Structures are given as C-alpha cells and as structure tokens.
Amino acid sequence: GAGKSTLARLLSEMLNLPVLAFADMVRHDIAEKYNYSLEELRKKPTPPEIRELLRNHGQPIKKQKGEDYWVKMFQKNHSHRKSYIVDDMRFKVELEYARKESGIVIFLHSDYDSKVSTFEELDYIRDNSDLLINAPKSIKPLELAKRVILDIAR
C-alpha cells in the first residue's frame, strides 16, 4: 500500500494518540458473527480474502441501514475520545464525519484501491483533504511522519 498504517503508527508514537479505523466496526461485527479473531482481520497488509470478506459483509449492511451506518458505529464507540488518528478513510461519508469533528485530513497518494471504494469517492477525499502527500517509496516512513507534522503545524 501507500504506507498509511506505517505513517499512522509513527504519528501515533510521536503525538501519543491512538490509531483507529472505520473498518474496525466491520471487523468487530465479523468477529462476533463468524468466529474470526480480530488479529486475523487486522493483519497488514490486508490479505485479499480478508479485504473481500470486509467488503462483502460491510457493503450490504451499509446499503440496508444507510450510507453512514458504520460511521455512526464508529462515533458510538469512540465519542469519548478527544483526539485520534484514523488510517483508513475511503468513503465520502467518513470525510464528512471527520469534517464535522474538526479533523485534519491527510491524503497519502498511491495507486487507487478500486476494490474498496469508487475512484470518485477517493478523488473527493483527495480534493477535500487538508494535506496531500505524494510519497515516493524512496522516502523513509519516519522522515515522512516528520514532514507531515511540520506541514500540519504550518
């Protein structure tokens, strides 16, 4: 991937903030219903069969219960937190939630992951992010994290 989880982990360590994921709501639901461990479902990089399971479980529920269903579950589970890092924003509704919560949105540019969201949604997130980072593989993750913190401070 682009290094979102690595960047999130480093920022988490530097800023002493937890790393959360919108997809964790889907992971918890799958773990409860289908006897998977959360460790299996959180493995990085996400194996294709787990990505497919997340999509095949989460999308129908989102269609049935509303586009913002998983975001509402995230909010319910994390409303007590003041600050945190989210490393998996892929949908417009997630960006809208971050905006409502006065979040800073960083878009780490890589090849689009069309398996999870539409190009239009990723384009929308990119175009409405606070900070767009084109991160060539030659930049070490720690250097990238330092750059991000400096850019946010400006």
Side-chain angles (χ1 to χ4, degrees), residues 7-93:
L7 178 60
R9 181 181 49 78
L10 290 168
L11 289 172
S12 168
E13 291 168 5
M14 295 169 134
L15 301 172
N16 195 28
L17 294 172
V19 177
L20 307 175
F22 287 110
D24 274 349
M25 303 302 99
V26 181
R27 288 182 182 100
H28 282 277
D29 202 48
I30 290 170
E32 281 180 22
K33 292 177 179 171
Y34 303 112
N35 198 28
Y36 279 86
S37 73
L38 287 174
E39 292 74 31
E40 264 180 295
L41 297 170
R42 286 186 175 132
K43 186 176 179 187
K44 298 287 182 177
T46 307
E49 64 276 8
I50 297 297
R51 185 177 301 278
E52 186 176 344
L53 175 64
L54 290 167
R55 184 180 62 245
N56 290 341
H57 181 77
Q59 291 293 347
I61 292 172
K62 194 165 95 166
K63 283 185 177 163
Q64 178 187 17
K65 297 188 177 188
E67 284 295 309
D68 61 350
Y69 176 77
W70 295 113
V71 171
K72 285 180 179 176
M73 293 298 101
F74 181 91
Q75 182 178 20
K76 180 180 173 185
N77 282 277
H78 299 296
S79 62
H80 64 286
R81 298 183 187 276
K82 184 174 179 174
S83 299
Y84 48 85
I85 297 166
V86 174
D87 73 346
D88 72 338
M89 185 178 292
R90 290 183 177 90
F91 299 102
K92 184 178 176 181
V93 67

Side-chain angles (χ1 to χ4, degrees), residues 95-127:
L95 175 79
E96 291 166 353
Y97 173 74
R99 289 284 175 243
K100 188 180 104 193
E101 295 295 313
S102 302
I104 298 170
V105 177
I106 301 167
F107 190 92
L108 188 57
H109 186 267
S110 72
D111 292 333
Y112 288 130
D113 184 357
S114 61
K115 297 176 192 145
V116 177
S117 44
T118 65
F119 289 127
E120 293 82 22
E121 287 191 270
L122 285 174
D123 287 344
Y124 180 85
I125 293 168
R126 183 200 60 221
D127 294 345

